[in-house]
Amino acid sequence: MANQTLLLSRRTIPQPTLTLSSPRSQVPNESIIREQVLSTHNYDGRKFNTNVILSIAENILSVKMGIGEEAGVEKLNEVEELINYKQLPSLIRQLSFQIASAGLNSSANNEHSTTLHVLRMLSSYCWEDKMVFMLSAFSIIINGQLYCSSHGKISRRLSNNKSGAVVDCITSVLRLTKCVVELKQTTTPSSNYSTPQSIISTLPIATYWIGRSVVATSYSPPPNDELIEELTTSTATILHTFSSELEKKRAEESYEALKRALYYNSSSKSEVFRLMFNVKDGEMLFEDKGLNDWNSTRLVLLITQGHHISELRIQFLNFFARHANTRLLWIPIAQNNDASWTTEDEQQFKKLSSKTRFYWLNDPQKMISPQFIRFVKEQLFPYFQMGGEPIIVSLDQQGRIVHPNIMHMIQIWAYKYIEENTLGVQGIYNITALVEKELKKGTSSINREIPEIKDMISVLVGDINQKIVAWTQDIEKRIQNLREQSTPYDKEREKFLWQQEPNCSLDLVVGRYGRNVHLDYVMQNWFDREDYIFLYGGNDINWVREFTSKLHRLASKIQLKVELAYVGKNKMIRSIIDKENMSYCALKSSYSIWRFWTRLQSMFLSRIYYLDEINHFGEECNDEILHGLKKLLAYEGKNTIIEGWAVLSKGKKMVVCGHGAKILQVINDYEIWKENIATKGFDEAFKDHHEMLTSSSSSLKRHSCCALEYSTTLNKIPENEKCSECSYRMHKFVTFTCCHGHDIDSDED
């Protein structure tokens, strides 16, 4: 024991004295034990990586329990950290000798005092290092490097006859030690996890019971099974609490790893998918596709709240999935925190899946990882989901999020226009012609003296042309690689698309072939002919009759070609208009109505995000497009019943957008403003009189209320909103809406 005395002589730690009677039942209670254990602790801040030692000790113990591969304890001396702490090999051996020799006097008092003595030997180390060192010392004993017999002799021989109780006890000790080491390991800097104080304050007692178990199970013969089982119960009780906390830490680390992969750093989509889904390599993830099948594929993620997606939206997304150069993957996220699906949920999911043309998870409940569910609910739904509607997340080729919700983008613009190639080499193929022209011009005076000059110029120009072609081909290959590694469905592309929309034109609202989503071929022809066009809507058939009849009479009177199209949501009004042949009805089906108005809502939200991105959004925002969209959406809001409204345009140029009462008043007042038609044109004369009525407060008395709806999940809702019709400040309400599983803007034909 000389080495031991020398080691401890540098640090003397006072200990409270306590006399124990021989029965183990007389061991002091935990409060006293805790004080004694804390008095042995004098951590000096040293850092030590115990993972390798723990791994070797675990390997040795596993072999002795009949599993694993043979591993020698001499590997402890190969740990890199032991070079810096040369006393550790001898310290571990001292611990093993101390524990083994304690077996000469097997009693509760001896076990307790030996455990405290061992902890004093480890006073300079943190609690998790103490646990590992004690377990390593036990592994030396159990591996046969050191063995204390019941005859009082320390010998080197193998012990293979440990009882089941001892094996269970050491298994519990090993699991607890590994649990504590993993809990205390430093997490990533961005992690929000920190070890709770309740866990930290339990470490001294946990360390004691590990030491006590190691000491007791080192005896030969060991104490009876009943007493060993009591020790197992002590460590297992602590392990239960620590294991729960470890699961929380692992969950937090998995969540942070997923966030880093999706936002900042990942090597491939398959790497991200391993974090998103509980799936292994080779296992089918989406239908017949495994993890690695998506690395070279452009894809977006359709994320829904449960299986809630309307058949109208499925119809729209089927078109996108069928034609766009992008794969659509459906990932349903359970609404409840327990992420459980009922049999009815599964049946409904399968029913809807059979109607889709996009990919879906084979087993959503099983495959979606908890950290991805948390990511969606914390990072995506609260900020980008509107009223429980699905979102579509766009990923680049590395699996990083480049747009949190492209649903609005693909609603507004045609997929061909979004994917249109904007990269390429242009305007360089005429360079050689210019070079040849300049060379001939510069050598024209020596043509007679050097008649072969023309051939020389041709050869030179040919060489230049070949180099330009080769250079261009190389650039095109590089551009192709860029295309393959990128996606047009990102924020920058959406920003670019908005920059191409200078004003609130009718072709933006209705859609134009090849650029926006076109919804009606008839109106496309009206745009091309620069006709006067009235789009209108409303819910009062009397207003519709009066408006259409008076406008037809006025147009006939002044021999003006005017086109009318009803685009309102009201099914009954639409049918009466068709029956009485009052005007053209642009939206013939439930899908076209849903498509038109959902697109305008997407346009409204996307425009808000765009304006906010360029710092132009706020209460004083006077953006023309946003103002026009607010008017249209307020007229056909779900919670308002306006008698009528109309938009006048000259071709695709929107001139007036107004409430039905004022539009009708302008028509009735034709005699007042007719003289201005000759100088200003019908559209501008109509607009001027409409603006005059708007400035008159008396004209507002007969108007029904307007309502502009924001989803409460939109984080850009202004504190105050002015009415787009009269500029008065609007009242703010919160409305809960349920459509019982159907789309909110749909009706049945």
Side-chain angles (χ1 to χ4, degrees):
M1 302 297 290
N3 289 338
Q4 176 181 317
T5 305
L6 178 63
L7 180 65
L8 295 178
S9 63
R10 299 182 182 179
R11 191 183 306 278
T12 303
I13 300 173
Q15 283 292 302
T17 58
L18 182 67
T19 302
L20 299 175
S21 55
S22 58
R24 285 182 168 82
S25 60
Q26 297 300 315
V27 172
N29 62 44
E30 282 205 350
S31 62
I32 297 177
I33 292 175
R34 179 180 174 81
E35 292 180 10
Q36 292 179 330
V37 171
L38 287 173
S39 68
T40 68
H41 189 60
N42 192 20
Y43 178 47
D44 60 10
R46 67 181 69 189
K47 302 294 183 182
F48 188 81
N49 184 359
T50 56
N51 288 335
V52 177
I53 290 181
L54 178 58
S55 177
I56 295 173
E58 180 183 9
N59 197 0
I60 295 170
L61 296 173
S62 296
V63 169
K64 297 312 168 185
M65 286 185 273
I67 59 173
E69 298 179 358
E70 186 69 38
V73 74
E74 64 274 11
K75 290 188 177 180
L76 291 171
N77 295 318
E78 298 173 5
V79 181
E80 183 179 349
E81 282 80 5
L82 300 186
I83 298 174
N84 300 323
Y85 298 96
K86 294 183 179 180
Q87 72 272 25
L88 284 179
S90 61
L91 175 58
I92 294 176
R93 291 186 178 277
Q94 288 174 36
L95 291 174
S96 62
F97 270 97
Q98 179 65 40
I99 294 169
S101 62
L104 299 175
N105 181 17
S106 176
S107 68
N109 185 40
N110 190 50
E111 291 171 17
H112 177 71
S113 59
T114 301
T115 302
L116 293 177
H117 183 61
V118 167
L119 292 176
R120 284 195 291 273
M121 294 174 66
L122 298 170
S123 61
S124 299
Y125 298 94
C126 61
W127 297 110
E128 59 269 28
D129 287 353
K130 297 179 198 285
M131 297 177 183
V132 173
F133 292 151
M134 289 188 292
L135 195 60
S136 300
F138 178 79
S139 71
I140 293 177
I141 298 172
I142 201 69
N143 197 46
Q145 297 293 320
L146 193 65
Y147 186 79
C148 181
S149 72
S150 59
H151 300 293
K153 295 181 179 180
I154 297 177
S155 61
R156 295 174 180 271
R157 61 188 182 85
L158 196 61
S159 173
N160 283 322
N161 59 349
K162 292 298 183 184
S163 69
V166 170
V167 171
D168 290 343
C169 184
I170 294 303
T171 300
S172 182
V173 166
L174 176 61
R175 291 177 60 195
L176 178 56
T177 302
K178 291 175 64 178
C179 182
V180 171
V181 169
E182 187 175 347
L183 268 174
K184 292 300 297 295
Q185 283 177 339
T186 304
T187 56
T188 58
S190 61
S191 175
N192 293 322
Y193 179 82
S194 60
T195 308
Q197 187 58 41
S198 60
I199 296 295
I200 295 174
S201 62
T202 309
L203 288 176
I205 287 297
T207 306
Y208 171 83
W209 286 117
I210 285 177
R212 182 70 179 271
S213 299
V214 164
V215 169
T217 54
S218 297
Y219 292 157
S220 183
N224 62 62
D225 287 355
E226 182 180 351
L227 297 173
I228 294 296
E229 288 169 359
E230 291 179 4
L231 293 172
T232 303
T233 300
S234 297
T235 54
T237 301
I238 299 173
L239 176 62
H240 177 74
T241 302
F242 280 31
S243 295
S244 299
E245 190 59 38
L246 181 58
E247 288 303 314
K248 294 179 183 178
K249 183 190 179 192
R250 288 173 176 171
E252 188 65 34
E253 290 176 340
S254 297
Y255 178 65
E256 293 298 331
L258 177 63
K259 279 176 60 178
R260 288 194 303 274
L262 286 172
Y263 282 147
Y264 309 113
N265 185 28
S266 66
S267 59
S268 65
K269 286 193 286 290
S270 59
E271 176 190 334
V272 176
F273 278 4
R274 287 186 183 92
L275 296 169
M276 289 170 53
F277 307 114
N278 301 317
V279 64
K280 300 177 181 178
D281 288 342
E283 186 177 355
M284 294 301 101
L285 181 62
F286 296 93
E287 292 186 351
D288 60 339
K289 301 295 181 183
L291 281 176
N292 296 321
D293 294 321
W294 302 93
N295 284 331
S296 60
T297 303
R298 182 189 293 169
L299 62 89
V300 293
L301 309 177
L302 170 64
I303 304 177
T304 61
Q305 194 167 289
H307 52 71
H308 297 300
I309 179 171
S310 70
E311 295 193 14
L312 293 174
R313 194 173 294 273
I314 287 177
Q315 184 177 343
F316 162 69
L317 293 176
N318 277 343
F319 179 85
F320 175 82
R322 185 168 60 249
H323 296 286
N325 186 26
T326 301
R327 289 184 177 177
L328 187 66
L329 313 179
W330 183 11
I331 306 174
I333 301 296
Q335 298 184 62
N336 300 327
N337 292 330
D338 60 2
S340 61
W341 277 43
T342 64
T343 303
E344 183 181 354
D345 289 328
E346 293 178 3
Q347 292 174 347
Q348 183 65 16
F349 176 70
K350 290 180 180 179
K351 178 182 177 182
L352 290 173
S353 299
S354 66
K355 299 179 180 180
T356 67
R357 289 181 175 268
F358 33 89
Y359 291 91
W360 61 86
L361 285 170
N362 288 332
D363 188 344
Q365 184 179 3
K366 174 185 175 184
M367 288 187 168
I368 303 175
S369 67
Q371 59 264 25
F372 184 64
I373 293 175
R374 178 184 171 190
F375 179 84
V376 170
K377 291 185 175 182
E378 291 185 5
Q379 300 289 319
L380 298 178
F381 278 174
Y383 306 105
F384 306 106
Q385 186 189 42
M386 298 296 114
E389 295 292 347
I391 64 173
I392 301 180
V393 179
S394 179
L395 306 178
D396 65 9
Q397 291 302 89
Q398 283 70 50
R400 295 169 298 191
I401 293 177
V402 291
H403 199 303
N405 188 13
I406 66 165
M407 183 71 79
H408 306 315
M409 185 196 299
I410 65 175
Q411 286 266 22
I412 301 167
W413 293 285
Y415 73 92
K416 284 185 178 180
Y417 183 57
I418 297 174
E419 295 181 359
E420 186 178 82
N421 177 32
T422 56
L423 297 174
V425 179
Q426 300 173 350
I428 65 170
Y429 294 99
N430 61 347
I431 292 178
T432 53
L434 294 174
V435 171
E436 185 176 15
K437 180 180 178 181
E438 290 299 317
L439 287 173
K440 288 180 177 179
K441 181 179 178 181
T443 59
S444 60
S445 61
I446 60 173
N447 284 339
R448 292 182 179 180
E449 288 76 9
I450 309 177
E452 65 271 21
I453 192 70
K454 290 184 178 180
D455 294 334
M456 294 174 64
I457 290 174
S458 297
V459 171
L460 177 60
V461 170
D463 290 342
I464 293 173
N465 185 64
Q466 288 180 357
K467 290 183 178 181
I468 289 176
V469 170
W471 181 85
T472 303
Q473 290 174 344
D474 179 63
I475 295 298
E476 291 288 358
K477 288 180 180 179
R478 293 169 184 259
I479 291 173
Q480 181 62 31
N481 289 334
L482 284 174
R483 293 192 199 116
E484 292 175 355
Q485 295 300 316
S486 63
T487 173
Y489 297 97
D490 59 17
K491 285 186 174 181
E492 287 303 313
R493 183 61 174 170
E494 185 174 24
K495 182 178 179 180
F496 172 80
L497 295 175
W498 272 123
Q499 290 170 345
Q500 311 311 305
E501 306 291 350
N503 49 50
C504 191
S505 60
L506 203 62
D507 61 344
L508 174 64
V509 172
V510 176
R512 189 170 183 86
Y513 180 76
R515 179 186 179 96
N516 307 108
V517 179
H518 63 287
L519 298 173
D520 192 280
Y521 289 102
V522 173
M523 282 192 282
Q524 303 294 320
N525 295 328
W526 295 350
F527 295 162
D528 296 335
R529 296 198 305 260
E530 291 288 309
D531 291 342
Y532 289 107
I533 304 168
F534 276 91
L535 293 189
Y536 71 100
N539 300 283
D540 187 338
I541 191 59
N542 293 324
W543 178 89
V544 170
R545 286 192 176 105
E546 184 178 4
F547 167 70
T548 55
S549 61
K550 287 186 175 181
L551 187 59
H552 282 311
R553 285 199 297 270
L554 175 61
S556 177
K557 179 179 180 180
I558 62 177
Q559 297 184 336
L560 184 72
K561 184 174 178 55
V562 176
E563 304 289 357
L564 282 80
Y566 180 81
V567 293
K569 298 179 184 178
N570 194 301
K571 176 184 175 182
M572 184 188 70
I573 298 293
R574 192 166 70 244
S575 63
I576 296 175
I577 291 173
D578 276 339
K579 182 178 180 180
E580 299 182 10
N581 197 27
M582 285 185 272
S583 76
Y584 175 67
C585 283
L587 310 177
K588 299 292 187 181
S589 65
S590 295
Y591 176 75
S592 61
I593 295 169
W594 173 87
R595 186 74 179 85
F596 182 86
W597 289 102
T598 302
R599 179 175 176 271
L600 290 183
Q601 181 69 24
S602 286
M603 200 181 297
F604 172 63
L605 296 171
S606 177
R607 187 68 179 180
I608 289 176
Y609 285 121
Y610 166 72
L611 293 173
D612 184 64
E613 185 77 16
I614 62 174
N615 298 316
H616 284 179
F617 182 69
E619 291 183 17
E620 302 303 320
C621 176
N622 58 355
D623 180 70
E624 177 189 334
I625 294 177
L626 188 64
H627 183 72
L629 293 170
K630 284 181 178 181
K631 275 194 169 186
L632 290 172
L633 292 171
Y635 294 150
E636 292 284 339
K638 294 181 289 292
N639 298 304
T640 56
I641 303 179
I642 290 180
E643 63 270 19
W645 59 269
V647 175
L648 167 63
S649 71
K650 179 78 163 59
K652 64 182 180 180
K653 179 186 176 183
M654 287 179 62
V655 180
V656 174
C657 179
H659 196 285
K662 278 193 291 186
I663 294 291
L664 199 56
Q665 185 64 43
V666 175
I667 297 173
N668 291 334
D669 291 346
Y670 167 72
E671 295 297 330
I672 299 176
W673 54 272
K674 67 179 182 180
E675 301 299 330
N676 296 327
I677 296 178
T679 56
K680 295 183 177 181
F682 174 79
D683 51 335
E684 291 299 323
F686 193 102
K687 176 184 175 182
D688 288 349
H689 194 70
H690 182 270
E691 290 179 348
M692 185 273 294
L693 292 177
T694 300
S695 62
S696 173
S697 59
S698 60
S699 67
L700 302 176
K701 293 180 180 179
R702 293 177 292 166
H703 290 178
S704 55
C705 295
C706 296
L708 180 63
E709 297 171 348
Y710 290 89
S711 172
T712 54
T713 54
L714 180 68
N715 60 353
K716 302 300 178 185
I717 302 176
E719 186 62 30
N720 297 298
E721 181 74 58
K722 291 182 179 179
C723 176
S724 55
E725 188 66 34
C726 65
S727 296
Y728 281 109
R729 180 171 292 184
M730 303 179 78
H731 301 289
K732 182 186 290 187
F733 298 92
V734 176
T735 303
F736 295 91
T737 303
C738 180
C739 299
H740 314 296
H742 301 288
D743 195 278
I744 202 161
D745 287 325
S746 67
D747 63 1
E748 297 297 331
D749 291 328

